[in-house]
Amino acid sequence: MFFFISLYMQQVLGYSAIKAGLSYLPLAVSIILSAGIASQLVTRIGFKQVMAMGMALIAAALVWFSQISAHGSFLGDILGPSLLAAVGLGFAFVTTTIAAVSGVPDSEAGLASGLINTTQQVGGALGLAVLSAISISVTGTSRLPSVLTDGFHSAFLAGAGIAALGLVATLTLIRSSDSRAHTRIGEGAVPAESPA
């Protein structure tokens, strides 16, 4: 997602690298704030619901990004969906880690944490490769802003589809009992021993 936003700002809107980088500040600050909110929500309503909200917000933000214009602007095309995506990402990052290590014995928590970090890195690289291929299949070698924007539209919509699949996986694969057990831990109850 960020890769295509950067390309849009630099190749379509004509931003310098520094201006494009500075344009990410609202998104970065919003991710930090939403991650803090997500941490509090997890102990109240469970991580499954917060993760589902995050995935839904990411999908909605990517659909919104797919509406960018070849004659767009930061305020009109980037800021709104960036802030929506930031809240979704903050919610998803926190809850993905919690869900990945939930129910894991203390002796294997490091392994589970390492696996989730590796999966995120590989998934990010694979996702970028797939979405880039989708974008390039539309743009070819053209550098015309309108053609580039069409390629970005396709990539954002494909990304929204992936986020929607993540939402479905969250709702179907995560047990609500695991999520509720985490809320009891957050309220001061002592967690049950995980099976060895």
Short mmCIF file of all heavy atoms in Angstrom, two decimals, residues 121-180:
data_model
loop_
_atom_site.label_atom_id
_atom_site.label_comp_id
_atom_site.label_asym_id
_atom_site.label_seq_id
_atom_site.Cartn_x
_atom_site.Cartn_y
_atom_site.Cartn_z
N GLN A 121 7.11 -10.35 7.41
CA GLN A 121 8.10 -9.90 6.43
C GLN A 121 7.92 -10.60 5.08
O GLN A 121 7.92 -9.96 4.03
CB GLN A 121 9.52 -10.15 6.97
CG GLN A 121 9.88 -9.36 8.20
CD GLN A 121 9.82 -7.86 7.98
OE1 GLN A 121 10.24 -7.36 6.95
NE2 GLN A 121 9.28 -7.14 8.93
N VAL A 122 7.75 -11.92 5.13
CA VAL A 122 7.56 -12.68 3.88
C VAL A 122 6.24 -12.28 3.22
O VAL A 122 6.18 -12.09 2.00
CB VAL A 122 7.61 -14.20 4.15
CG1 VAL A 122 7.21 -14.99 2.92
CG2 VAL A 122 9.01 -14.60 4.61
N GLY A 123 5.20 -12.14 4.03
CA GLY A 123 3.90 -11.74 3.48
C GLY A 123 3.95 -10.37 2.84
O GLY A 123 3.36 -10.15 1.77
N GLY A 124 4.66 -9.44 3.48
CA GLY A 124 4.78 -8.10 2.90
C GLY A 124 5.51 -8.12 1.57
O GLY A 124 5.10 -7.47 0.61
N ALA A 125 6.60 -8.89 1.50
CA ALA A 125 7.35 -8.97 0.24
C ALA A 125 6.54 -9.65 -0.85
O ALA A 125 6.51 -9.20 -2.00
CB ALA A 125 8.66 -9.73 0.49
N LEU A 126 5.86 -10.73 -0.49
CA LEU A 126 5.04 -11.44 -1.47
C LEU A 126 3.87 -10.58 -1.93
O LEU A 126 3.56 -10.52 -3.12
CB LEU A 126 4.54 -12.76 -0.86
CG LEU A 126 3.70 -13.65 -1.77
CD1 LEU A 126 4.51 -14.07 -2.99
CD2 LEU A 126 3.22 -14.88 -0.99
N GLY A 127 3.23 -9.90 -0.97
CA GLY A 127 2.11 -9.03 -1.33
C GLY A 127 2.54 -7.91 -2.26
O GLY A 127 1.84 -7.61 -3.25
N LEU A 128 3.70 -7.30 -1.99
CA LEU A 128 4.20 -6.24 -2.86
C LEU A 128 4.46 -6.77 -4.26
O LEU A 128 4.13 -6.12 -5.26
CB LEU A 128 5.46 -5.63 -2.27
CG LEU A 128 6.13 -4.54 -3.11
CD1 LEU A 128 5.18 -3.37 -3.36
CD2 LEU A 128 7.41 -4.05 -2.43
N ALA A 129 5.04 -7.96 -4.35
CA ALA A 129 5.33 -8.55 -5.67
C ALA A 129 4.04 -8.79 -6.44
O ALA A 129 3.95 -8.47 -7.63
CB ALA A 129 6.10 -9.85 -5.49
N VAL A 130 3.04 -9.35 -5.79
CA VAL A 130 1.76 -9.64 -6.46
C VAL A 130 1.07 -8.35 -6.88
O VAL A 130 0.63 -8.21 -8.04
CB VAL A 130 0.85 -10.48 -5.54
CG1 VAL A 130 -0.56 -10.57 -6.10
CG2 VAL A 130 1.44 -11.88 -5.34
N LEU A 131 0.99 -7.38 -5.98
CA LEU A 131 0.30 -6.12 -6.31
C LEU A 131 1.06 -5.33 -7.37
O LEU A 131 0.45 -4.67 -8.22
CB LEU A 131 0.08 -5.29 -5.05
CG LEU A 131 -0.83 -5.93 -3.99
CD1 LEU A 131 -0.96 -5.01 -2.79
CD2 LEU A 131 -2.19 -6.27 -4.57
N SER A 132 2.39 -5.40 -7.35
CA SER A 132 3.18 -4.72 -8.38
C SER A 132 2.92 -5.36 -9.75
O SER A 132 2.79 -4.65 -10.76
CB SER A 132 4.67 -4.79 -8.06
OG SER A 132 4.97 -4.04 -6.92
N ALA A 133 2.84 -6.68 -9.77
CA ALA A 133 2.55 -7.37 -11.04
C ALA A 133 1.18 -6.97 -11.57
O ALA A 133 1.00 -6.76 -12.78
CB ALA A 133 2.64 -8.88 -10.84
N ILE A 134 0.21 -6.84 -10.68
CA ILE A 134 -1.13 -6.42 -11.09
C ILE A 134 -1.09 -5.01 -11.65
O ILE A 134 -1.66 -4.73 -12.71
CB ILE A 134 -2.11 -6.52 -9.90
CG1 ILE A 134 -2.36 -7.99 -9.56
CG2 ILE A 134 -3.42 -5.81 -10.21
CD1 ILE A 134 -3.10 -8.21 -8.26
N SER A 135 -0.39 -4.11 -10.96
CA SER A 135 -0.30 -2.73 -11.42
C SER A 135 0.41 -2.63 -12.77
O SER A 135 -0.06 -1.94 -13.69
CB SER A 135 0.43 -1.89 -10.37
OG SER A 135 0.55 -0.55 -10.80
N ILE A 136 1.53 -3.34 -12.91
CA ILE A 136 2.30 -3.28 -14.15
C ILE A 136 1.55 -3.92 -15.31
O ILE A 136 1.69 -3.50 -16.47
CB ILE A 136 3.68 -3.93 -13.94
CG1 ILE A 136 4.52 -3.04 -13.02
CG2 ILE A 136 4.41 -4.16 -15.26
CD1 ILE A 136 5.81 -3.66 -12.54
N SER A 137 0.71 -4.92 -15.02
CA SER A 137 -0.08 -5.52 -16.10
C SER A 137 -1.05 -4.52 -16.71
O SER A 137 -1.44 -4.65 -17.86
CB SER A 137 -0.85 -6.75 -15.58
OG SER A 137 -1.93 -6.36 -14.74
N VAL A 138 -1.41 -3.49 -15.95
CA VAL A 138 -2.29 -2.44 -16.46
C VAL A 138 -1.49 -1.32 -17.12
O VAL A 138 -1.83 -0.85 -18.20
CB VAL A 138 -3.16 -1.86 -15.32
CG1 VAL A 138 -3.97 -0.66 -15.80
CG2 VAL A 138 -4.07 -2.94 -14.74
N THR A 139 -0.38 -0.92 -16.50
CA THR A 139 0.36 0.25 -16.99
C THR A 139 1.35 -0.08 -18.09
O THR A 139 1.66 0.77 -18.93
CB THR A 139 1.14 0.92 -15.84
OG1 THR A 139 2.10 0.00 -15.32
CG2 THR A 139 0.22 1.38 -14.75
N GLY A 140 1.87 -1.31 -18.09
CA GLY A 140 2.93 -1.64 -19.05
C GLY A 140 4.13 -0.74 -18.81
O GLY A 140 4.55 -0.55 -17.67
N THR A 141 4.65 -0.15 -19.85
CA THR A 141 5.81 0.74 -19.72
C THR A 141 5.42 2.21 -19.74
O THR A 141 6.28 3.08 -19.72
CB THR A 141 6.82 0.48 -20.86
OG1 THR A 141 6.16 0.68 -22.11
CG2 THR A 141 7.36 -0.95 -20.77
N SER A 142 4.14 2.49 -19.76
CA SER A 142 3.67 3.87 -19.83
C SER A 142 4.01 4.64 -18.56
O SER A 142 4.00 4.09 -17.46
CB SER A 142 2.16 3.91 -20.05
OG SER A 142 1.69 5.24 -20.03
N ARG A 143 4.31 5.91 -18.71
CA ARG A 143 4.55 6.79 -17.58
C ARG A 143 3.54 7.93 -17.55
O ARG A 143 3.71 8.91 -16.83
CB ARG A 143 5.98 7.37 -17.63
CG ARG A 143 7.05 6.34 -17.40
CD ARG A 143 7.02 5.87 -15.95
NE ARG A 143 7.86 4.72 -15.74
CZ ARG A 143 7.43 3.54 -15.31
NH1 ARG A 143 6.16 3.36 -15.07
NH2 ARG A 143 8.25 2.54 -15.12
N LEU A 144 2.48 7.80 -18.34
CA LEU A 144 1.43 8.82 -18.34
C LEU A 144 0.69 8.77 -17.01
O LEU A 144 0.32 7.68 -16.54
CB LEU A 144 0.45 8.59 -19.49
CG LEU A 144 1.00 8.76 -20.90
CD1 LEU A 144 -0.04 8.32 -21.92
CD2 LEU A 144 1.38 10.23 -21.12
N PRO A 145 0.46 9.92 -16.37
CA PRO A 145 -0.22 9.92 -15.08
C PRO A 145 -1.56 9.18 -15.06
O PRO A 145 -1.86 8.46 -14.12
CB PRO A 145 -0.40 11.41 -14.77
CG PRO A 145 0.72 12.07 -15.49
CD PRO A 145 0.90 11.27 -16.76
N SER A 146 -2.35 9.33 -16.12
CA SER A 146 -3.65 8.65 -16.15
C SER A 146 -3.50 7.14 -16.22
O SER A 146 -4.27 6.40 -15.58
CB SER A 146 -4.49 9.16 -17.32
OG SER A 146 -3.82 8.90 -18.55
N VAL A 147 -2.50 6.66 -16.94
CA VAL A 147 -2.28 5.21 -17.05
C VAL A 147 -1.71 4.67 -15.74
O VAL A 147 -2.12 3.61 -15.26
CB VAL A 147 -1.35 4.90 -18.25
CG1 VAL A 147 -1.06 3.40 -18.33
CG2 VAL A 147 -1.97 5.39 -19.55
N LEU A 148 -0.76 5.40 -15.16
CA LEU A 148 -0.21 4.98 -13.87
C LEU A 148 -1.31 4.89 -12.81
O LEU A 148 -1.36 3.94 -12.03
CB LEU A 148 0.87 5.97 -13.41
CG LEU A 148 2.20 5.95 -14.16
CD1 LEU A 148 3.07 7.11 -13.71
CD2 LEU A 148 2.91 4.63 -13.96
N THR A 149 -2.19 5.88 -12.81
CA THR A 149 -3.28 5.90 -11.84
C THR A 149 -4.20 4.69 -12.03
O THR A 149 -4.65 4.09 -11.05
CB THR A 149 -4.07 7.21 -11.95
OG1 THR A 149 -3.17 8.31 -11.78
CG2 THR A 149 -5.15 7.31 -10.90
N ASP A 150 -4.44 4.30 -13.27
CA ASP A 150 -5.25 3.10 -13.53
C ASP A 150 -4.58 1.86 -12.94
O ASP A 150 -5.25 1.00 -12.36
CB ASP A 150 -5.46 2.91 -15.03
CG ASP A 150 -6.41 3.93 -15.64
OD1 ASP A 150 -7.17 4.56 -14.87
OD2 ASP A 150 -6.39 4.09 -16.87
N GLY A 151 -3.26 1.77 -13.06
CA GLY A 151 -2.54 0.65 -12.47
C GLY A 151 -2.63 0.65 -10.95
O GLY A 151 -2.80 -0.40 -10.32
N PHE A 152 -2.52 1.84 -10.37
CA PHE A 152 -2.64 1.95 -8.91
C PHE A 152 -4.04 1.55 -8.45
O PHE A 152 -4.20 0.90 -7.42
CB PHE A 152 -2.29 3.36 -8.43
CG PHE A 152 -0.91 3.81 -8.79
CD1 PHE A 152 -0.63 5.16 -8.97
CD2 PHE A 152 0.13 2.91 -8.95
CE1 PHE A 152 0.65 5.59 -9.29
CE2 PHE A 152 1.42 3.33 -9.27
CZ PHE A 152 1.67 4.68 -9.45
N HIS A 153 -5.06 1.95 -9.23
CA HIS A 153 -6.44 1.56 -8.90
C HIS A 153 -6.53 0.05 -8.76
O HIS A 153 -7.10 -0.47 -7.79
CB HIS A 153 -7.41 2.01 -9.99
CG HIS A 153 -7.64 3.48 -10.06
ND1 HIS A 153 -8.36 4.06 -11.07
CD2 HIS A 153 -7.25 4.50 -9.26
CE1 HIS A 153 -8.41 5.36 -10.90
NE2 HIS A 153 -7.73 5.65 -9.80
N SER A 154 -5.99 -0.66 -9.75
CA SER A 154 -6.06 -2.13 -9.74
C SER A 154 -5.34 -2.72 -8.54
O SER A 154 -5.83 -3.65 -7.89
CB SER A 154 -5.46 -2.69 -11.04
OG SER A 154 -6.19 -2.23 -12.15
N ALA A 155 -4.16 -2.18 -8.23
CA ALA A 155 -3.39 -2.69 -7.10
C ALA A 155 -4.13 -2.44 -5.78
O ALA A 155 -4.18 -3.32 -4.91
CB ALA A 155 -2.01 -2.03 -7.06
N PHE A 156 -4.70 -1.26 -5.62
CA PHE A 156 -5.42 -0.96 -4.38
C PHE A 156 -6.65 -1.86 -4.23
O PHE A 156 -6.94 -2.34 -3.13
CB PHE A 156 -5.84 0.51 -4.33
CG PHE A 156 -4.71 1.46 -4.05
CD1 PHE A 156 -4.52 2.59 -4.83
CD2 PHE A 156 -3.83 1.24 -2.99
CE1 PHE A 156 -3.49 3.47 -4.57
CE2 PHE A 156 -2.79 2.12 -2.72
CZ PHE A 156 -2.62 3.24 -3.52
N LEU A 157 -7.37 -2.10 -5.32
CA LEU A 157 -8.54 -2.98 -5.24
C LEU A 157 -8.14 -4.41 -4.91
O LEU A 157 -8.82 -5.10 -4.14
CB LEU A 157 -9.35 -2.91 -6.53
CG LEU A 157 -10.13 -1.61 -6.75
CD1 LEU A 157 -10.79 -1.60 -8.12
CD2 LEU A 157 -11.19 -1.43 -5.64
N ALA A 158 -7.04 -4.87 -5.49
CA ALA A 158 -6.55 -6.22 -5.17
C ALA A 158 -6.14 -6.29 -3.70
O ALA A 158 -6.42 -7.27 -3.00
CB ALA A 158 -5.38 -6.59 -6.08
N GLY A 159 -5.48 -5.23 -3.20
CA GLY A 159 -5.12 -5.18 -1.79
C GLY A 159 -6.35 -5.19 -0.90
O GLY A 159 -6.36 -5.83 0.16
N ALA A 160 -7.41 -4.49 -1.32
CA ALA A 160 -8.65 -4.50 -0.55
C ALA A 160 -9.24 -5.91 -0.50
O ALA A 160 -9.76 -6.33 0.53
CB ALA A 160 -9.66 -3.53 -1.17
N GLY A 161 -9.11 -6.64 -1.61
CA GLY A 161 -9.58 -8.02 -1.62
C GLY A 161 -8.80 -8.89 -0.65
O GLY A 161 -9.38 -9.73 0.06
N ILE A 162 -7.49 -8.68 -0.58
CA ILE A 162 -6.66 -9.43 0.37
C ILE A 162 -7.05 -9.09 1.81
O ILE A 162 -7.16 -9.98 2.66
CB ILE A 162 -5.16 -9.16 0.11
CG1 ILE A 162 -4.76 -9.73 -1.26
CG2 ILE A 162 -4.31 -9.76 1.22
CD1 ILE A 162 -3.39 -9.29 -1.73
N ALA A 163 -7.29 -7.81 2.08
CA ALA A 163 -7.71 -7.41 3.43
C ALA A 163 -9.08 -8.01 3.77
O ALA A 163 -9.32 -8.42 4.90
CB ALA A 163 -7.75 -5.88 3.54
N ALA A 164 -9.96 -8.08 2.77
CA ALA A 164 -11.27 -8.69 3.00
C ALA A 164 -11.12 -10.18 3.33
O ALA A 164 -11.84 -10.71 4.19
CB ALA A 164 -12.17 -8.49 1.78
N LEU A 165 -10.19 -10.85 2.65
CA LEU A 165 -9.91 -12.26 2.98
C LEU A 165 -9.38 -12.37 4.42
O LEU A 165 -9.71 -13.31 5.14
CB LEU A 165 -8.92 -12.85 2.00
CG LEU A 165 -9.43 -13.14 0.60
CD1 LEU A 165 -8.29 -13.60 -0.31
CD2 LEU A 165 -10.54 -14.17 0.62
N GLY A 166 -8.55 -11.41 4.82
CA GLY A 166 -8.07 -11.38 6.19
C GLY A 166 -9.20 -11.21 7.19
O GLY A 166 -9.20 -11.83 8.26
N LEU A 167 -10.18 -10.40 6.83
CA LEU A 167 -11.35 -10.21 7.69
C LEU A 167 -12.13 -11.52 7.83
O LEU A 167 -12.50 -11.92 8.94
CB LEU A 167 -12.25 -9.10 7.13
CG LEU A 167 -13.60 -8.90 7.81
CD1 LEU A 167 -13.42 -8.56 9.29
CD2 LEU A 167 -14.40 -7.82 7.09
N VAL A 168 -12.34 -12.19 6.70
CA VAL A 168 -13.06 -13.48 6.73
C VAL A 168 -12.29 -14.50 7.57
O VAL A 168 -12.87 -15.22 8.39
CB VAL A 168 -13.30 -14.00 5.30
CG1 VAL A 168 -13.83 -15.43 5.30
CG2 VAL A 168 -14.26 -13.08 4.55
N ALA A 169 -10.97 -14.55 7.39
CA ALA A 169 -10.14 -15.48 8.17
C ALA A 169 -10.22 -15.16 9.66
O ALA A 169 -10.30 -16.06 10.50
CB ALA A 169 -8.69 -15.43 7.69
N THR A 170 -10.21 -13.88 9.99
CA THR A 170 -10.31 -13.47 11.39
C THR A 170 -11.62 -13.95 12.00
O THR A 170 -11.64 -14.50 13.10
CB THR A 170 -10.22 -11.93 11.51
OG1 THR A 170 -8.96 -11.50 11.02
CG2 THR A 170 -10.41 -11.46 12.94
N LEU A 171 -12.70 -13.75 11.28
CA LEU A 171 -14.02 -14.10 11.81
C LEU A 171 -14.25 -15.60 11.89
O LEU A 171 -15.00 -16.08 12.74
CB LEU A 171 -15.11 -13.44 10.95
CG LEU A 171 -15.14 -11.91 11.00
CD1 LEU A 171 -16.15 -11.37 10.00
CD2 LEU A 171 -15.44 -11.41 12.40
N THR A 172 -13.59 -16.36 11.01
CA THR A 172 -13.85 -17.80 10.97
C THR A 172 -12.79 -18.65 11.67
O THR A 172 -13.11 -19.73 12.17
CB THR A 172 -13.99 -18.29 9.51
OG1 THR A 172 -12.80 -17.97 8.78
CG2 THR A 172 -15.19 -17.66 8.84
N LEU A 173 -11.55 -18.20 11.72
CA LEU A 173 -10.48 -19.04 12.25
C LEU A 173 -10.11 -18.75 13.71
O LEU A 173 -9.55 -19.61 14.37
CB LEU A 173 -9.23 -18.90 11.37
CG LEU A 173 -9.39 -19.34 9.92
CD1 LEU A 173 -8.11 -19.09 9.14
CD2 LEU A 173 -9.81 -20.80 9.83
N ILE A 174 -10.39 -17.57 14.18
CA ILE A 174 -10.05 -17.24 15.57
C ILE A 174 -11.25 -17.58 16.46
O ILE A 174 -12.37 -17.13 16.20
CB ILE A 174 -9.68 -15.76 15.73
CG1 ILE A 174 -8.41 -15.46 14.94
CG2 ILE A 174 -9.50 -15.40 17.20
CD1 ILE A 174 -7.99 -14.01 14.96
N ARG A 175 -10.99 -18.38 17.46
CA ARG A 175 -12.06 -18.78 18.38
C ARG A 175 -12.41 -17.62 19.31
O ARG A 175 -11.53 -16.99 19.90
CB ARG A 175 -11.64 -19.99 19.20
CG ARG A 175 -11.49 -21.24 18.35
CD ARG A 175 -11.08 -22.40 19.21
NE ARG A 175 -9.78 -22.11 19.82
CZ ARG A 175 -8.91 -23.03 20.19
NH1 ARG A 175 -9.20 -24.30 20.06
NH2 ARG A 175 -7.76 -22.70 20.73
N SER A 176 -13.69 -17.37 19.42
CA SER A 176 -14.14 -16.29 20.31
C SER A 176 -13.76 -16.58 21.75
O SER A 176 -13.51 -15.65 22.53
CB SER A 176 -15.66 -16.12 20.20
OG SER A 176 -15.99 -15.67 18.90
N SER A 177 -13.69 -17.85 22.12
CA SER A 177 -13.33 -18.19 23.51
C SER A 177 -11.90 -17.75 23.81
O SER A 177 -11.60 -17.30 24.92
CB SER A 177 -13.47 -19.70 23.74
OG SER A 177 -12.65 -20.42 22.85
N ASP A 178 -10.98 -17.86 22.83
CA ASP A 178 -9.61 -17.39 23.04
C ASP A 178 -9.58 -15.88 23.24
O ASP A 178 -8.87 -15.36 24.10
CB ASP A 178 -8.71 -17.76 21.86
CG ASP A 178 -8.46 -19.24 21.75
OD1 ASP A 178 -8.62 -19.95 22.77
OD2 ASP A 178 -8.10 -19.70 20.65
N SER A 179 -10.39 -15.18 22.45
CA SER A 179 -10.45 -13.73 22.55
C SER A 179 -11.04 -13.30 23.89
O SER A 179 -10.54 -12.39 24.53
CB SER A 179 -11.29 -13.19 21.38
OG SER A 179 -11.31 -11.79 21.38
N ARG A 180 -12.10 -13.97 24.32
CA ARG A 180 -12.73 -13.64 25.61
C ARG A 180 -11.81 -13.96 26.78
O ARG A 180 -11.79 -13.26 27.78
CB ARG A 180 -14.06 -14.38 25.76
CG ARG A 180 -15.19 -13.77 24.94
CD ARG A 180 -16.52 -14.36 25.33
NE ARG A 180 -16.57 -15.80 25.17
CZ ARG A 180 -16.92 -16.44 24.05
NH1 ARG A 180 -17.24 -15.74 22.98
NH2 ARG A 180 -16.95 -17.75 23.99
#
